[in-house]
Amino acid sequence: MDKEERKTINQGQEDEMEVYGYNLSRWKLAVVSLGVICTGGFLLLLLYWMPEWRVKATCIRAAVKDCEVVLLRTTIRYFTHHSVKYFWNDAIHNFDFLKGLDEGVSCTSIYEKHSAGLTKGMHAYRKLLYGVNEITVKVPSVFKLLIKEVLNPFYIFQLFSVILWSTDEYYYYALAIVIMSIVSIVSSLYSIRKQYVMLHDMVAAHSTVRVSVCRVNEEIEEIFSTDLVPGDVMIIPLNGTVMPCDAVLISGTCIVNESMLTGESVPVTKTNLPNPSVDIKGMADEFYSPETHKRHTLFCGTTVIQTRFYTGELVKAIVVRTGFSTSKGQLVRSILYPKPTDFKLYRDAYLFLLCLVAVAGIGFIYTIINSILNEVEVGVIIIESLDIITITVPPALPAAMTAGIVYAQRRLKKIGIFCISPQRINICGQLNLVCFDKTGTLTEDGLDLWGIQRVENARFLLPEENVCNEMLVKSQFVACMATCHSLTKIEGVLSGDPLDLKMFEAIGWILEEATEEETALHNRIMPTVVRPPKQLLPEYTPAAGNQEMELFELPAIYEIGIVRQFPFSSALQRMSVVARVLGDKKMDAYMKGAPEVIASLCKAETVPVDFEKVLEEYTKQGFRVIALAHRKLESKLTWHKVQNINRDAIENNMDFMGLIIMQNKLKQETPAVLEDLHKANIRTVMVTGDNMLTAVSVARDCGMILPQDKVIIAEALPPKDGKVAKINWHCADSLTQCSNSPAADSEAIPIKLVHDSLEDLQLTRYHFAMNGKSFSVILEHFQDLVPKLMLHGTVFARMAPDQKTQLVEALQNVDYFVGMCGDGANDCGALKRAHGGISLSELEASVASPFTSKTPSISCVPNLIREGRAALMTSFCVFKFMALYSIIQYFSVTLLYSILSNLGDFQFLFIDLAIILVVVFTMSLNPAWKELVAQRPPSGLISGALLFSVLSQIIICIGFQSLGFFWVKQQPWYEVWHPHSDACNTTRSLYWNSSHLDNETELDTRNIQNYENTTVFFISSFQYLIVAIAFSKGKPFRQPCYKNYFFVVSVIMLYVFILFIMLHPVASIDQVLQIVCVPYQWRITMLIIVVVNALVSIMVESFFLDMVLWKVVFSRDRQGEPRLTTTQPPQESVDRWGKCCLSWAMGCRKKMPKAKYMCL
């Protein structure tokens, strides 16, 4: 086999991997071991940080089939990656992951081959193959986490710096850095371990239960759920259970709470999988799929509340997936192993650090050459040359960068937003698109009944609010409302779809279900019975001939039995029931569903002529409208025949009865919050598990879609029966197809989305809406359409949890910074994958979400973005300040090295502790600006404005520092300083000098005390404060710096102190700081240099940069309608300007997708 072969696993999928085979090489291991010894362990650290290098350095290439090691560091025949087991498959000559019965198994074979159960031998074999059925989240030990954290490159550099400073007797700052590092490591360990423990507790809540399984000889065996394997036939207990695996029902019915997966706490009725060999002809070749047959599949982690069964039959389900392959396992995997979120700020920060390392390298070489030429001792050369590296790359940078984030985290906590991933706060400052879940997030949790509008003699009557009255109690309309639903009683409480629940509550009827004893007695499932309360029934009087005949006027108890239920189908958009009034010979069929669908199944003469007009009026007002229909069934239809009849035989030739109008109330704050986001040019998208039309209606109500905007529904159909995949385009308002042809390809609808010229942009905005199935088909078969639909897609309905995650990724692929706001566990993957995920629930979702809001209100979203923008600007300010601090100190030391001098230990300490740390930790305290603005901060450090800011300040500071350094040498009183120098020429100066004579011998050896040192120290000390003020930006992202009282007080105190010791020397302070006495005239000259430096720095930063450059460049990005610009993934024009200027240095970058698609 070719030794250079490469294998691809999961090709075309999200977790696609390339596998290369390797075998361990003894001679390479020997060479690496020698290298580790020679580098003092540094090579081992480097190979720890770079796993790919480690494999290549210790192994030689081999065929994948025969290898001992793959790049994933695992064994030959199989390996586990991200909790999924991959094994070598000889048939495809590649690694493949273990599949259960969820792929490649037909519905027929599930009954014929798997329904009998497994033998004990087969069960033992499969357990060896599939392993234990558990979803475990191992909590790493504190020691393991500590080692992993400490081996971070930055902490290793800090350790190197601390050792170097200790050898140079610079103990105080070394101690300060050690303390900061320990605090940082401890807080990081605490937050990481806390997340692991929370996830572990969530997963382990119902990890092991005892279950009964059927064996081949019809023996029932009780085993632990951890021993289940695909193919086991599990018996679902009567009192319900939490499903420990994914299983398909083959007998009986279950009522299941799937809130863990869908976020909707509505019990769902699951029926047994149709047996093609018995039930339906022509379906024998259909393959079982958990997605396609989800109405028959019990998913792991969901709760079976109760079961229904025929006498003598157990409720059985065949296990199809176990462990991390289950739906719950995939959800946990998406939380444990999210795709890394790439943020430009951090990439640019590393690039900037590399630039600083390059500058440090130049200083390192310069110091060595200069020291050798001046015959300095080898030990001093080593310490000074390494010291310049620690000066240029400041070890305090991580602590400084973290400070702003910590303060933002504290401010978020005060407004009820908790954060478990502090680094995401910065990323939230860049959000330009937010996805919202609908139910419980934008709207209240349920629907409210607004009213009904009945039809009599093919004419609409006036709308009625109260349905619960004596006049209507025996009408067919109320009978339909009472029977046509999927409600069930769980522990005496009515449960089911919120819409059905509201509808049933509105009529005030009573629902009773047959007990297990009654079912057993009659040898069949007894019908559910509904009846009105007694107070609603009018007293019985004999019917007079002239009275209107009611179908249900009976002298006895009035109740209706639900004989057969055809559950709601989203594909058919309707549900129906067969019911029988007690005492009646004939049965009734009732149907409810989408008005257009119901009307099409009714006799034309019963549908009002103004049906479409009335319906349009309600839908435009955002109401959810449901139509009802009825017909009397033939007397020959017996109970037994009804149980086996096809629903198509029932659902036709109906009488149209009228409309039910439901209202999905928005939360009070929703429209205002969305309006704020739109004003700030932040696009909003709805992603929900709810119905498409409801979602579009809510999107219009809350202002996500404006009244004049058009909504186009993309209905994508997968390939079927040899036909290729296609997309039908519908206009949501009329539900008619937008094109004349029955189906449209990707180029069939000419829509001018964004015009080339913004001046004549007089066109209607379009929004695309689609459901989860269509979204999946488009992702798979219409890749070229995905960017276009992402740029204009506003409503995504019926989205499964993994589809929500895919949507977030698709939006990120067109350069959006995506926020996600949801409240259910079904949002977990999307919350984790988004740049900024915020959960409104403190349950499962909060484990996955970086942010959790204490109050379930979307008003937390603008607050989070404001704080994110403030934290991001603070990070820029701090990074710029730390870069300037490094360069200023680096240049000070380089100037002094040229005369074989240096800054004294206490001068370093004063600068590093008293100035830098105080300024860094106070300049980060600026709170966020009070409102969101349309302008966004730059996304990275490599942007024109930021680069200009840093480079201009570097040039200014170097210029004024050099001016002072060289000008002092031109003074008439200047001489090479020695202990008896008397530049001040005063008695105080003589006293100062005489008081220091005893200590000068030691100081002279390091040549710290001289006029150049004193000049450079004073000028550079002021420069740190000058750039701190220049960089402390306020509006529009942060409050002005004068409102940051700690910063103002700190800077004033430092200014006063430095000014005082410069103009009025104090002998004891001068002695500690190793400052020499200079004439008063030179002190005034230094003050003038500092004042001019301050004026130039602040003028360049505040006037030229903010007033001229920023506004001129940014204004190009502000032309046109603000709402229209949101269709583009808005990168700041300043970013683009910076990229243009730096394109020669940065190389080619990936082109951003454009929004200007002229035709879809």
Side-chain angles (χ1 to χ4, degrees), residues 36 275 287 350 379 445 450 776 877 881 1146:
V36 169
N275 186 347
F287 284 104
Y350 284 116
D445 274 326
W450 180 84
S776 293
C877 293
F881 176 71
M1146 303 302 298

PDB file of all heavy atoms in Angstrom, residues 36 275 287 350 379 445 450 776 877 881 1146:
ATOM      1  N   VAL A  36      15.711  17.231  23.959  1.00  0.00           N
ATOM      2  CA  VAL A  36      15.025  17.647  25.192  1.00  0.00           C
ATOM      3  C   VAL A  36      16.053  17.943  26.288  1.00  0.00           C
ATOM      4  O   VAL A  36      15.965  18.945  27.006  1.00  0.00           O
ATOM      5  CB  VAL A  36      14.031  16.557  25.658  1.00  0.00           C
ATOM      6  CG1 VAL A  36      13.513  16.855  27.064  1.00  0.00           C
ATOM      7  CG2 VAL A  36      12.860  16.455  24.688  1.00  0.00           C
ATOM      8  N   ASN A 275     -45.697  -1.246  10.050  1.00  0.00           N
ATOM      9  CA  ASN A 275     -45.061  -2.456   9.521  1.00  0.00           C
ATOM     10  C   ASN A 275     -45.434  -2.589   8.046  1.00  0.00           C
ATOM     11  O   ASN A 275     -46.577  -2.923   7.724  1.00  0.00           O
ATOM     12  CB  ASN A 275     -45.543  -3.681  10.308  1.00  0.00           C
ATOM     13  CG  ASN A 275     -44.804  -4.937   9.908  1.00  0.00           C
ATOM     14  OD1 ASN A 275     -44.112  -4.968   8.891  1.00  0.00           O
ATOM     15  ND2 ASN A 275     -44.962  -5.992  10.698  1.00  0.00           N
ATOM     16  N   PHE A 287     -36.269   2.866   4.130  1.00  0.00           N
ATOM     17  CA  PHE A 287     -35.314   2.688   5.209  1.00  0.00           C
ATOM     18  C   PHE A 287     -35.734   3.475   6.436  1.00  0.00           C
ATOM     19  O   PHE A 287     -36.235   4.593   6.318  1.00  0.00           O
ATOM     20  CB  PHE A 287     -33.916   3.136   4.758  1.00  0.00           C
ATOM     21  CG  PHE A 287     -33.249   2.137   3.847  1.00  0.00           C
ATOM     22  CD1 PHE A 287     -33.180   2.374   2.476  1.00  0.00           C
ATOM     23  CD2 PHE A 287     -32.717   0.968   4.347  1.00  0.00           C
ATOM     24  CE1 PHE A 287     -32.585   1.453   1.629  1.00  0.00           C
ATOM     25  CE2 PHE A 287     -32.111   0.049   3.519  1.00  0.00           C
ATOM     26  CZ  PHE A 287     -32.043   0.283   2.155  1.00  0.00           C
ATOM     27  N   TYR A 350      -1.820  38.181  18.640  1.00  0.00           N
ATOM     28  CA  TYR A 350      -0.646  37.313  18.493  1.00  0.00           C
ATOM     29  C   TYR A 350       0.295  37.845  17.414  1.00  0.00           C
ATOM     30  O   TYR A 350       1.517  37.783  17.557  1.00  0.00           O
ATOM     31  CB  TYR A 350      -1.084  35.884  18.163  1.00  0.00           C
ATOM     32  CG  TYR A 350      -1.620  35.139  19.362  1.00  0.00           C
ATOM     33  CD1 TYR A 350      -2.942  34.709  19.424  1.00  0.00           C
ATOM     34  CD2 TYR A 350      -0.789  34.864  20.464  1.00  0.00           C
ATOM     35  CE1 TYR A 350      -3.442  34.033  20.536  1.00  0.00           C
ATOM     36  CE2 TYR A 350      -1.283  34.188  21.582  1.00  0.00           C
ATOM     37  CZ  TYR A 350      -2.599  33.782  21.611  1.00  0.00           C
ATOM     38  OH  TYR A 350      -3.078  33.122  22.714  1.00  0.00           O
ATOM     39  N   GLY A 379      28.458  37.509  31.973  1.00  0.00           N
ATOM     40  CA  GLY A 379      27.244  37.376  32.797  1.00  0.00           C
ATOM     41  C   GLY A 379      26.327  38.565  32.643  1.00  0.00           C
ATOM     42  O   GLY A 379      25.098  38.414  32.524  1.00  0.00           O
ATOM     43  N   ASP A 445     -45.176  32.262  26.493  1.00  0.00           N
ATOM     44  CA  ASP A 445     -45.046  30.824  26.248  1.00  0.00           C
ATOM     45  C   ASP A 445     -46.199  30.205  25.462  1.00  0.00           C
ATOM     46  O   ASP A 445     -46.029  29.206  24.799  1.00  0.00           O
ATOM     47  CB  ASP A 445     -44.873  30.064  27.569  1.00  0.00           C
ATOM     48  CG  ASP A 445     -43.417  30.030  27.980  1.00  0.00           C
ATOM     49  OD1 ASP A 445     -42.575  29.969  27.075  1.00  0.00           O
ATOM     50  OD2 ASP A 445     -43.126  30.092  29.179  1.00  0.00           O
ATOM     51  N   TRP A 450     -58.370  34.458  20.649  1.00  0.00           N
ATOM     52  CA  TRP A 450     -58.896  35.815  20.432  1.00  0.00           C
ATOM     53  C   TRP A 450     -60.399  35.772  20.193  1.00  0.00           C
ATOM     54  O   TRP A 450     -61.140  36.625  20.658  1.00  0.00           O
ATOM     55  CB  TRP A 450     -58.178  36.447  19.241  1.00  0.00           C
ATOM     56  CG  TRP A 450     -58.617  37.824  18.917  1.00  0.00           C
ATOM     57  CD1 TRP A 450     -58.194  38.992  19.479  1.00  0.00           C
ATOM     58  CD2 TRP A 450     -59.603  38.205  17.928  1.00  0.00           C
ATOM     59  NE1 TRP A 450     -58.843  40.061  18.910  1.00  0.00           N
ATOM     60  CE2 TRP A 450     -59.717  39.612  17.964  1.00  0.00           C
ATOM     61  CE3 TRP A 450     -60.406  37.481  17.033  1.00  0.00           C
ATOM     62  CZ2 TRP A 450     -60.578  40.309  17.125  1.00  0.00           C
ATOM     63  CZ3 TRP A 450     -61.273  38.173  16.196  1.00  0.00           C
ATOM     64  CH2 TRP A 450     -61.351  39.586  16.245  1.00  0.00           C
ATOM     65  N   SER A 776     -32.051  22.049   5.248  1.00  0.00           N
ATOM     66  CA  SER A 776     -31.123  20.916   5.093  1.00  0.00           C
ATOM     67  C   SER A 776     -30.906  20.582   3.618  1.00  0.00           C
ATOM     68  O   SER A 776     -29.778  20.317   3.194  1.00  0.00           O
ATOM     69  CB  SER A 776     -31.656  19.684   5.830  1.00  0.00           C
ATOM     70  OG  SER A 776     -31.641  19.913   7.210  1.00  0.00           O
ATOM     71  N   CYS A 877      -7.711  49.811  24.020  1.00  0.00           N
ATOM     72  CA  CYS A 877      -6.992  50.854  24.767  1.00  0.00           C
ATOM     73  C   CYS A 877      -5.837  50.254  25.561  1.00  0.00           C
ATOM     74  O   CYS A 877      -4.713  50.767  25.530  1.00  0.00           O
ATOM     75  CB  CYS A 877      -7.940  51.576  25.731  1.00  0.00           C
ATOM     76  SG  CYS A 877      -9.211  52.544  24.902  1.00  0.00           S
ATOM     77  N   PHE A 881      -1.940  50.749  24.977  1.00  0.00           N
ATOM     78  CA  PHE A 881      -1.141  51.322  26.069  1.00  0.00           C
ATOM     79  C   PHE A 881       0.032  50.414  26.434  1.00  0.00           C
ATOM     80  O   PHE A 881       1.162  50.882  26.611  1.00  0.00           O
ATOM     81  CB  PHE A 881      -2.040  51.547  27.287  1.00  0.00           C
ATOM     82  CG  PHE A 881      -1.283  52.033  28.493  1.00  0.00           C
ATOM     83  CD1 PHE A 881      -0.759  53.320  28.525  1.00  0.00           C
ATOM     84  CD2 PHE A 881      -1.064  51.210  29.585  1.00  0.00           C
ATOM     85  CE1 PHE A 881      -0.040  53.769  29.630  1.00  0.00           C
ATOM     86  CE2 PHE A 881      -0.363  51.645  30.686  1.00  0.00           C
ATOM     87  CZ  PHE A 881       0.159  52.930  30.708  1.00  0.00           C
ATOM     88  N   MET A1146       0.430  41.653   4.822  1.00  0.00           N
ATOM     89  CA  MET A1146      -0.371  40.555   5.361  1.00  0.00           C
ATOM     90  C   MET A1146      -0.629  39.443   4.341  1.00  0.00           C
ATOM     91  O   MET A1146      -1.119  38.395   4.688  1.00  0.00           O
ATOM     92  CB  MET A1146      -1.734  41.086   5.841  1.00  0.00           C
ATOM     93  CG  MET A1146      -1.648  42.185   6.863  1.00  0.00           C
ATOM     94  SD  MET A1146      -0.736  41.664   8.290  1.00  0.00           S
ATOM     95  CE  MET A1146      -1.767  40.339   8.835  1.00  0.00           C
TER      96      MET A1146
END
